[in-house]
Amino acid sequence: MNSSTFVSGSITQIPPIVWTIAGSDSGGGAGIQADLLTMQDLSCHGCSVITTLTAQNSVSVSLVETVSESMLLAQFSSLLADLPPVAIKIGLLASQAQVDILAGCLAQMRATQMMVPFVVLDPVMVASSGANFNPIDLDFSPLIGLIDLLTPNQHELKRLCSQSALVQDCDDVDNNGSQQQQQQQMICDAKGLSDKFKCHVFAKGGDAQWQQQDAIDVYVSKNVKGASITHSNAVFMLSSQRIATTNNHGSGCTLSSAIACFIAHEFVIHDAIVLAKAYVNKGLTLGVSLGQGPGVLARTGWPDGLGMMPSIKLVSSEHLADDSCKQAAPNSFKSLHQPLGIYPVVADIDMLKQLLKAGCKTVQYRAKLAINIDTDDSHILERLTLEANIIEAIKLGREFHVQLFINDHWQLAVKHGAFGVHLGQEDIATADLSAIAAAGMALGLSSHSYFEALLAHQCSPSYIALGHIFATTTKQMPSAPQGLSKLKRYASLFARHYPTVAIGGIDLSNLEFIAATGVGDVAVVRAVTTADDPAKAYRTLHHKWLQLTRPLPKANLSQEGV
């Protein structure tokens, strides 16, 4: 990514191409029109394949005409020849013939195109008849293996499950039972669809009669490249406060097209979903009434506030035995005594001593161990050595009055009274965060995406680490480098609430670009640990960071000499 891309604040210089395959809403609130407005608002170039023409306003639909099969094919082929998409959103398909044609087109695209687009299917299960849209049962099974995400609302979820007899798998849950039972049924239905269609499923709950104060969605993820292993093949519940408004026409179209846009901007699907939810929530909050019927969502640009973000709950993961996040009470972790500044991460006690003598006031001791100290009793020597090193690191931290964080080994950090502990995403779901808070310790949490940063935020840590920003050889990372533009957006969202620290591939050559993003602090590894003189390398980075983030005040020119 070059500097001009970063300075402009955009994710990519040339807008990514996103297609919408859907019906035209002449009233402008839903369908093709809503999709194109969303794509424009989120810095994408939108192209359209129209399946249906409608004559409608905010009150009624007076006439609907399905485009011919030849026109549908011509639109698809024409766009593919010149404007291939990064992502595709599919909305209203008016007939089974259209489903079959589209399946053939997508299959051919996968077989012949070098770049395979991410495909979102918003299964609008209606068709036209006279002056209204009436329910119709479409068989979407030809699209199995050709779509990446399915986004049904509650009505569509039930119809799709009924078609596939998937409800039989959930017959131990009472559909007319409590809200908890209804949630379990929704989870079971979404998992069944995910297995059938071999894709991610985001089941929307806004139209559920049993939901009251909060709108609860269920997200079933398959394997997600670039995400924490804990969050692949997992089930989440996303909740947002229900927004009381009638200006909600086109909310489903907007959500699915926004997801496609965020995917096109190279965000992982977890991020795309929470960003799209925030986008729709704000659009509903600021929606406007234009006619006599339901109004439309506002187009509000890139989400920039935590208030509109959904709350995330991990329900289950095939990679975890314990599925519940042991979150401590808000604001219960020790606050930082001073900014992290340049924050070295080291694995060597001698190097730790050198840095402390050089004036380093915050440091992380990261001793990686290939065994589980809680369950593996066959490596007693390694365990004793690790504990002895952690004891020595904590002792040094007290001696030099620094903020010393222990990476990963929170049990030993609690046992021996460290200032703080730093944990990764996999640890959030299993570590006893309440015990860490009760010990009066600070907590730092890693994140590699919006989704992970939101999970960290829900634990109310002492700081949130954002990374990895540039390519790094320090450890094998599942995620791609985040880059400067993403870091700038993360910092904008979280820096007003938490100390934020960037990590990953940062050294003296790129420190100025990091400072320009607005992130609060910087963690460094190789820039210090591989230096000939680690103490000198730290001091150089420290002084440069102070120059970049705490410039000297300008002279007062209001008096003499003006």
Side-chain angles (χ1 to χ4, degrees):
M1 181 175 294
N2 61 37
S3 58
S4 65
T5 303
F6 170 62
V7 171
S8 71
S10 64
I11 295 296
T12 50
Q13 276 187 303
I14 300 175
I17 296 173
V18 181
W19 290 6
T20 168
I21 303 174
S24 168
D25 176 357
S26 60
I32 290 286
Q33 285 79 355
D35 294 339
L36 293 177
L37 285 171
T38 300
M39 292 168 189
Q40 176 69 23
D41 196 35
L42 296 177
S43 302
C44 292
H45 178 77
C47 299
S48 61
V49 175
I50 298 177
T51 62
T52 313
L53 299 174
T54 71
Q56 62 174 295
N57 51 36
S58 66
V59 178
S60 64
V61 180
S62 59
L63 184 63
V64 178
E65 290 185 358
T66 301
V67 303
S68 66
E69 295 178 13
S70 59
M71 174 56 80
L72 184 65
L73 277 168
Q75 291 177 85
F76 193 103
S77 300
S78 180
L79 288 177
L80 187 59
D82 183 48
L83 297 165
V86 180
I88 299 175
K89 173 264 171 83
I90 303 171
L92 174 63
L93 300 177
S95 67
Q96 191 60 47
Q98 289 193 343
V99 175
D100 296 339
I101 290 170
L102 183 57
C105 291
L106 292 175
Q108 185 177 14
M109 177 186 288
R110 284 179 176 265
T112 59
Q113 297 293 305
M114 292 183 62
M115 182 180 68
V116 178
F118 187 97
V119 180
V120 182
L121 172 61
D122 186 25
V124 183
M125 301 189 71
V126 295
S128 59
S129 177
N132 298 295
F133 285 104
N134 296 321
I136 187 173
D137 286 330
L138 294 176
D139 177 13
F140 290 106
S141 61
L143 295 173
I144 292 176
L146 300 173
I147 60 174
D148 300 283
L149 173 66
L150 193 62
T151 62
N153 60 25
Q154 288 296 284
H155 170 75
E156 293 152 356
L157 179 66
K158 290 298 181 185
R159 291 179 69 85
L160 287 169
C161 287
S162 177
Q163 286 179 348
S164 306
L166 293 174
V167 289
Q168 295 177 6
D169 296 336
C170 312
D171 57 8
D172 58 326
V173 181
D174 183 0
N175 284 330
N176 298 313
S178 65
Q179 179 168 337
Q180 185 176 5
Q181 288 178 311
Q182 296 277 27
Q183 285 180 5
Q184 287 302 115
Q185 180 67 50
M186 184 178 173
I187 290 170
C188 191
D189 290 343
K191 290 171 67 176
L193 278 187
S194 178
D195 290 339
K196 177 187 176 180
F197 281 88
K198 299 179 175 58
C199 69
H200 312 286
V201 169
F202 186 70
K204 300 170 288 189
D207 61 326
Q209 297 297 320
W210 49 270
Q211 296 188 17
Q212 298 175 357
Q213 289 188 337
D214 292 335
I216 300 173
D217 310 304
V218 170
Y219 169 40
V220 180
S221 74
K222 291 297 189 183
N223 187 46
V224 181
K225 184 179 180 181
S228 165
I229 189 172
T230 307
H231 303 150
S232 289
N233 299 298
V235 179
F236 301 90
M237 286 199 304
L238 276 62
S239 59
S240 302
Q241 185 173 4
R242 187 173 290 279
I243 300 166
T245 180
T246 58
N247 299 325
N248 56 7
H249 184 50
S251 57
C253 303
T254 300
L255 179 77
S256 53
S257 56
I259 291 173
C261 288
F262 292 124
I263 290 288
H265 282 301
E266 299 181 359
F267 285 92
V268 295
I269 183 173
H270 298 336
D271 279 10
I273 285 174
V274 294
L275 286 169
K277 277 293 298 182
Y279 182 75
V280 168
N281 285 341
K282 191 170 183 179
L284 288 169
T285 302
L286 301 177
V288 293
S289 178
L290 299 173
Q292 300 176 45
V296 299
L297 277 67
R299 265 58 193 179
T300 57
W302 206 279
D304 59 359
L306 282 176
M308 293 297 167
M309 292 287 180
S311 175
I312 307 166
K313 179 181 179 181
L314 175 62
V315 176
S316 64
S317 170
E318 70 175 30
H319 301 285
L320 290 175
D322 182 2
D323 299 328
S324 59
C325 179
K326 300 181 180 71
Q327 292 188 19
N331 305 313
S332 58
F333 297 103
K334 180 188 290 186
S335 298
L336 300 178
H337 294 164
Q338 57 189 329
L340 296 170
I342 293 296
Y343 178 21
V345 179
V346 300
D348 181 81
I349 293 294
D350 289 335
M351 186 175 294
L352 175 62
K353 290 179 184 178
Q354 294 178 49
L355 294 173
L356 296 181
K357 290 178 179 179
C360 180
K361 291 302 181 183
T362 305
V363 65
Q364 182 182 137
Y365 180 64
R366 182 166 73 184
K368 292 296 182 182
L369 203 60
I371 62 170
N372 188 324
I373 63 172
D374 296 323
T375 61
D376 194 334
D377 293 327
S378 63
H379 296 79
I380 296 176
L381 181 60
E382 290 94 331
R383 183 170 59 188
L384 291 175
T385 301
L386 171 68
E387 185 165 7
N389 286 339
I390 286 178
I391 291 172
E392 178 66 15
I394 293 172
K395 178 183 175 182
L396 288 168
R398 289 175 182 155
E399 180 182 338
F400 284 88
H401 306 288
V402 303
Q403 301 177 133
L404 185 130
F405 287 83
I406 300 298
N407 180 275
D408 284 355
H409 302 291
W410 63 269
Q411 300 97 325
L412 293 176
V414 169
K415 179 180 177 180
H416 298 292
F419 175 86
V421 63
H422 181 92
L423 299 176
Q425 283 291 311
E426 291 77 8
D427 302 307
I428 294 179
T430 57
D432 191 342
L433 302 188
S434 295
I436 296 170
M441 295 167 58
L443 175 68
L445 293 176
S446 289
S447 67
H448 310 90
S449 63
Y450 276 106
F451 189 86
E452 292 185 2
L454 287 173
L455 285 172
H457 156 64
Q458 291 173 188
C459 298
S460 300
S462 307
Y463 70 82
I464 295 179
L466 306 165
H468 59 299
I469 307 307
F470 304 115
T472 175
T473 59
T474 304
K475 58 188 293 191
Q476 187 173 0
M477 304 295 295
S479 57
Q482 299 298 296
L484 292 168
S485 291
K486 286 185 179 179
L487 176 60
K488 184 178 181 180
R489 292 193 183 276
Y490 298 152
S492 174
L493 186 63
F494 292 100
R496 72 192 76 168
H497 304 282
Y498 298 95
T500 54
V501 53
I503 187 170
I506 301 172
D507 56 28
L508 197 62
S509 69
N510 52 39
L511 201 60
E512 182 175 359
F513 296 112
I514 294 292
T517 67
V519 72
D521 307 289
V522 173
V524 292
V525 186
R526 287 181 298 127
V528 167
T529 60
T530 63
D532 293 334
D533 186 340
K536 180 179 180 181
Y538 164 75
R539 286 193 296 266
T540 301
L541 287 163
H542 171 69
H543 291 311
K544 180 66 172 179
W545 185 250
L546 289 180
Q547 291 174 2
L548 292 169
T549 59
R550 297 169 181 82
L552 294 173
K554 294 180 180 180
N556 187 347
L557 302 179
S558 61
Q559 305 297 326
E560 189 174 340
V562 175

